[in-house]
Amino acid sequence: MRRARAIMIQGTASHVGKTLLCTALCRLFRQEGWRVAPFKAQNMSNNAWVTRDGGEMARAQALQAEAAGVEPSVHMNPVLLKPKGEAVSEVIVHGRPAGDARARDYYGHWRERAWTAIRASLDRLLGEYDVVVIEGAGSPVEMNLRRRDIVNMRVAVLAGAPVLLVGDVDRGGVFASLLGTLWLLPPAERRRVAGLVVNKFRGDPELFREGVAYLEARARKPVVGVLPWIDVDLEEEDSLALAAGGGLPAGAGVADLDIAAIHYPCVSNFTDLDPLRRVPGVRVRWVRGLRALGTPDAVILPGSKNTIRDLLFLRETGLDRAITELARRGTPVVGLCGGYQMMGRLLSDPHGYEAGAGDAGGGPGAGGEVQGLGLLPAVTVFGPRKRTAQSRGRVVAGEGPFACLQGQEVRGYEIHVGRTVLDPGAQPLFLLQEGEGRAGAGVWDGCLAAGGAVFGTYLHGLFDNAGFLQAWLAWLRGRRPAGGGVAPAVGCRARREEEFDRLAEWARRHLDLKLVYEAMGR
């Protein structure tokens, strides 16, 4: 049976550029005519994507699949860990919830189950594609974890993949990090490293020639590329990338709309706000504390991996009172998924499903109830069933920003535990159908109050709907004293395609592809 060629990107640490380089290679190999699949054995992230069949996977691998021009599959990320409290994560295996685990338990009895899933998925991809681009996690020489490795060198050996080791020159210490990582590897694993990559280089690369020679002489490995810093407008993988003060897109000028997004401890799917921050004149600020909130044009409560825990965080910081006071004075407030749940009257977790078994301090515990923010006439009850689905539907609300949108289509995806029931007479936002081409009456989603200024929905990807984004921003601008202005519609898919091509050209120009192909055996 023919098996795909594979290449693996490992790093000296987290956030050195592994994800971006893998995305670039996925597009580059696709341009070369190969059928390409991304793969990351295990990812830890609360930014998740839902596949067509309702499976959860990391958004990073879904984005890489898009760069490769293939349908995202849970086999591209067979194990996803979603942190939900202190040392507690939900474990997703092949797209389905398998339970909650503490770190010490996960590295015990969970690890072999995860490895079985990883082997099956990698074997499947190697049999179905021409090239598999594999991403490692963290560093391959975390010495206290090496014997439990199921995501770095053990995967490279399983795939028969050469490894490119990436270091970040921008953070400093690139010589020590690359050489130190290499020298800590056992000889057999060190031989698997086909070359080194220096990433995030600023300035004249000619000035780094001596650095390249130094690395090659001591590593006895080629430097396959010195990659210049690149500003790329694609989603970040984890919340480390959230700047405390937010910002504007490059060249966007002065903000005329100020949007405060609440950054609670268990924030999830923060990429829902990416389409907003890309609009010229819109500033999205991630707010952790009361002082930073100010008087924005709108407040967004994003998703949460532990809604009750994050609602208690709002109480502890006083943000709950500040947000409700802003809403009372007319400031628009939007809740997405967990944020939507917080905005209701009451959250009930009678059996501790949201808090998570053993998650001390994560919520009220079995039989507990927590008062919501009271901004929406709705009650959420948490239970054992988790809903994961791609959904589409139409707008049924008719007030505020929705007045010009009634009947228009919206698309997105749902990932949530808990069922939200509206009070009698409350106004839903959408009538949704699950998946593509599904018949049936559909289900109501979301809730609206305060004449359309306050609303919530379970629909992730809401702002990816250009018609809705344009209408909401135009409505916000119309409320300001200066008024005026219509936000330009944002073609998210077209923009991502341009960025994928930019990344591929970046890799093509600055990597020695001859060495890469030789290492892969092509």
Side-chain angles (χ1 to χ4, degrees):
M1 177 179 173
R2 180 186 63 84
R3 282 170 64 88
R5 300 290 183 178
I7 186 166
M8 187 167 193
I9 307 300
Q10 295 184 18
T12 59
S14 296
H15 220 60
V16 298
K18 297 186 294 289
T19 301
L20 204 65
L21 182 53
C22 285
T23 306
L25 290 175
C26 282
R27 176 49 62 97
L28 187 152
F29 291 140
R30 177 194 177 189
Q31 291 174 342
E32 296 290 312
W34 306 111
R35 181 166 164 77
V36 188
F39 182 78
K40 186 164 184 172
Q42 174 186 287
N43 205 334
M44 178 175 278
S45 176
N46 274 334
N47 275 342
W49 173 256
V50 176
T51 61
R52 287 184 186 272
D53 61 357
E56 280 188 81
M57 62 182 292
R59 281 191 67 96
Q61 277 61 64
L63 194 73
Q64 289 166 355
E66 187 177 342
V70 296
E71 183 73 20
S73 162
V74 296
H75 294 290
M76 297 169 182
N77 172 220
V79 180
L80 174 61
L81 305 180
K82 302 184 75 175
K84 61 184 299 184
E86 294 300 325
V88 176
S89 292
E90 181 185 25
V91 183
I92 308 292
V93 178
H94 283 155
R96 305 298 172 189
D100 291 348
R102 288 189 175 275
R104 68 171 68 94
D105 299 326
Y106 182 75
Y107 285 115
H109 72 274
W110 280 97
R111 186 172 66 99
E112 284 311 310
R113 178 178 176 183
W115 181 244
T116 299
I118 289 165
R119 291 184 62 179
S121 290
L122 182 57
D123 190 62
R124 178 169 177 159
L125 296 182
L126 289 169
E128 292 180 356
Y129 291 86
D130 300 318
V131 175
V132 178
V133 177
I134 305 172
E135 180 180 340
S139 161
V141 290
E142 300 293 346
M143 304 311 289
N144 59 317
L145 300 176
R146 269 187 48 80
R147 64 186 179 84
R148 307 184 188 106
D149 172 43
I150 58 171
V151 70
N152 284 309
M153 280 297 179
R154 194 175 179 191
V155 174
V157 171
L158 182 64
V163 172
L164 298 184
L165 182 63
V166 182
D168 178 356
V169 69
D170 189 61
R171 67 171 63 183
V174 72
F175 297 100
S177 58
L178 281 170
L179 294 174
T181 299
L182 199 63
W183 292 340
L184 283 173
L185 289 170
E189 294 181 359
R190 195 180 310 146
R191 287 192 293 271
R192 189 164 289 278
V193 177
L196 310 180
V197 176
V198 176
N199 194 22
K200 302 184 187 179
F201 187 84
R202 299 176 188 263
D204 185 354
E206 289 295 315
L207 300 179
F208 197 68
R209 281 188 176 275
E210 288 184 20
V212 169
Y214 184 93
L215 285 170
E216 290 185 334
R218 282 154 183 80
R220 298 182 181 179
K221 305 280 184 183
V223 173
V224 177
V226 177
L227 300 176
W229 182 282
I230 183 170
D231 286 314
V232 62
D233 194 7
L234 291 172
E235 299 172 355
E236 294 282 0
E237 181 172 17
D238 57 51
S239 58
L240 290 174
L242 296 183
L248 288 165
V254 179
D256 67 295
L257 283 179
D258 176 38
I259 297 175
I262 308 303
H263 188 185
Y264 17 73
C266 298
V267 65
S268 69
N269 284 74
F270 61 81
T271 52
D272 281 341
L273 276 62
D274 276 8
L276 280 173
R277 69 173 182 80
R278 294 184 179 113
V279 177
V282 175
R283 183 187 187 203
V284 176
R285 294 184 293 115
W286 285 96
V287 173
R288 287 180 177 271
L290 191 57
R291 279 188 170 185
L293 182 59
T295 54
D297 294 294
V299 176
I300 295 180
L301 298 170
S304 167
K305 191 64 190 74
N306 193 323
T307 302
I308 292 175
R309 183 186 183 90
D310 283 343
L311 179 57
L312 295 178
F313 165 80
L314 297 185
R315 295 258 154 81
E316 292 163 3
T317 58
L319 280 166
D320 62 331
R321 296 186 298 276
I323 293 167
T324 53
E325 176 60 20
L326 284 172
R328 189 189 67 77
R329 286 159 36 195
T331 299
V333 180
V334 177
L336 304 174
C337 197
Y340 168 38
Q341 294 172 336
M342 294 180 203
M343 290 172 67
R345 293 191 295 105
L346 184 71
L347 293 85
S348 177
D349 192 15
H351 303 290
Y353 288 111
E354 178 67 0
D359 185 16
E369 291 186 345
V370 175
Q371 297 297 315
L373 298 178
L375 297 175
L376 293 173
V379 172
T380 297
V381 179
F382 297 100
R385 182 175 177 268
K386 185 175 189 178
R387 177 170 170 79
T388 57
Q390 291 190 11
S391 297
R392 61 181 176 81
R394 58 185 177 84
V395 177
V396 294
E399 297 182 88
F402 298 93
C404 62
L405 293 171
Q406 274 195 311
Q408 287 196 18
E409 184 180 76
V410 290
R411 289 175 178 260
Y413 59 98
E414 300 172 61
I415 310 174
H416 59 92
V417 173
R419 179 171 176 263
T420 299
V421 179
L422 307 189
D423 291 352
Q427 173 66 60
L429 292 183
F430 309 121
L431 181 62
L432 297 179
Q433 302 282 345
E434 182 179 323
E436 297 287 339
R438 299 286 181 87
V443 294
W444 302 112
D445 172 73
C447 185
L448 173 143
V454 174
F455 65 87
T457 174
Y458 276 120
L459 205 63
H460 290 292
L462 177 64
F463 294 115
D464 286 314
N465 292 273
F468 170 80
L469 177 62
Q470 183 178 24
W472 188 63
L473 292 179
W475 180 77
L476 287 182
R477 285 187 166 120
R479 292 166 55 88
R480 293 177 64 90
V486 176
V490 180
C492 295
R493 185 64 181 259
R495 174 194 51 73
R496 286 198 300 269
E497 286 295 309
E498 291 175 359
E499 294 300 274
F500 293 147
D501 287 340
R502 279 186 64 222
L503 271 179
E505 181 59 24
W506 168 75
R508 196 183 302 277
R509 288 183 60 189
H510 300 289
L511 285 180
D512 188 332
L513 290 181
K514 183 174 181 291
L515 288 178
V516 172
Y517 279 123
E518 285 177 357
M520 294 169 63
R522 289 195 175 276

